[in-house]
Amino acid sequence: MKWIYPYIADLYLRNDKIWQNLYQEVVHVGLDGLVSRKSARRIPKGVIHVQASFNNTIVTVTDVRGRVISWSSAGTCGFRGTRRGTPFAAQTAAGNAIRTVADQGMQRAEVMIKGPGLGRDAALRAIRRSGILLNFVRDVTPMPHNGCRPPKKRRV
């Protein structure tokens, strides 16, 4: 395997974080042409974050360190207006986000669900149908412990 930038290999050997990050972005030249190191990464285990609001559902797939691998939302799937908050839109978004990571070899995942939206259950059903084994499903919706003071009562 031949380097496009041969001096970066020497700099990577030093314990310097900047050059280590730059090394990960470098493209290798193989027998079949240019091959990016990022696309060749295999992810056996990951975390699927589902954020379901009343207006939209966002599904993000990360590795165990929290780096985003793939994401999708009801809006990027083509749903507009009130249809973005529907369970079918959440199911489509979850399917789109998981399809790319299933091709990269993800077999196990943990699911974190946040928010009160209608897409919570539909997204979880789509994740279960994808064939990825789930270690656990956790609800991480933020709950105040009697947080902020509410606004004063409205007088009409």
Side-chain angles (χ1 to χ4, degrees), residues 114-134:
K114 182 190 286 188
L118 296 170
R120 292 167 57 102
D121 299 333
L124 184 59
R125 257 184 252 118
I127 293 166
R128 282 198 187 278
R129 251 200 320 271
S130 69
I132 294 175
L133 297 171
L134 303 182

Side-chain angles (χ1 to χ4, degrees), residues 59-139:
V59 181
T60 309
V61 184
T62 66
D63 59 5
V64 288
R65 289 179 58 189
R67 296 178 295 192
V68 174
I69 302 161
S70 160
W71 71 275
S72 182
S73 72
T76 58
C77 292
F79 295 95
R80 287 285 169 245
T82 54
R83 286 191 300 236
R84 277 193 313 192
T86 60
F88 178 69
Q91 181 181 328
T92 309
N96 282 359
I98 289 171
R99 193 175 302 123
T100 56
V101 294
D103 296 341
Q104 291 182 359
M106 183 179 285
Q107 293 127 7
R108 301 189 142 277
E110 304 165 355
V111 181
M112 309 283 195
I113 299 180
K114 182 190 286 188
L118 296 170
R120 292 167 57 102
D121 299 333
L124 184 59
R125 257 184 252 118
I127 293 166
R128 282 198 187 278
R129 251 200 320 271
S130 69
I132 294 175
L133 297 171
L134 303 182
N135 289 351
F136 60 81
V137 179
R138 182 176 290 168
D139 186 4

Side-chain angles (χ1 to χ4, degrees), residues 51-58 84-86 114-120:
Q51 184 179 355
S53 68
F54 291 116
N55 296 324
N56 202 355
T57 302
I58 303 169
R84 277 193 313 192
T86 60
K114 182 190 286 188
L118 296 170
R120 292 167 57 102

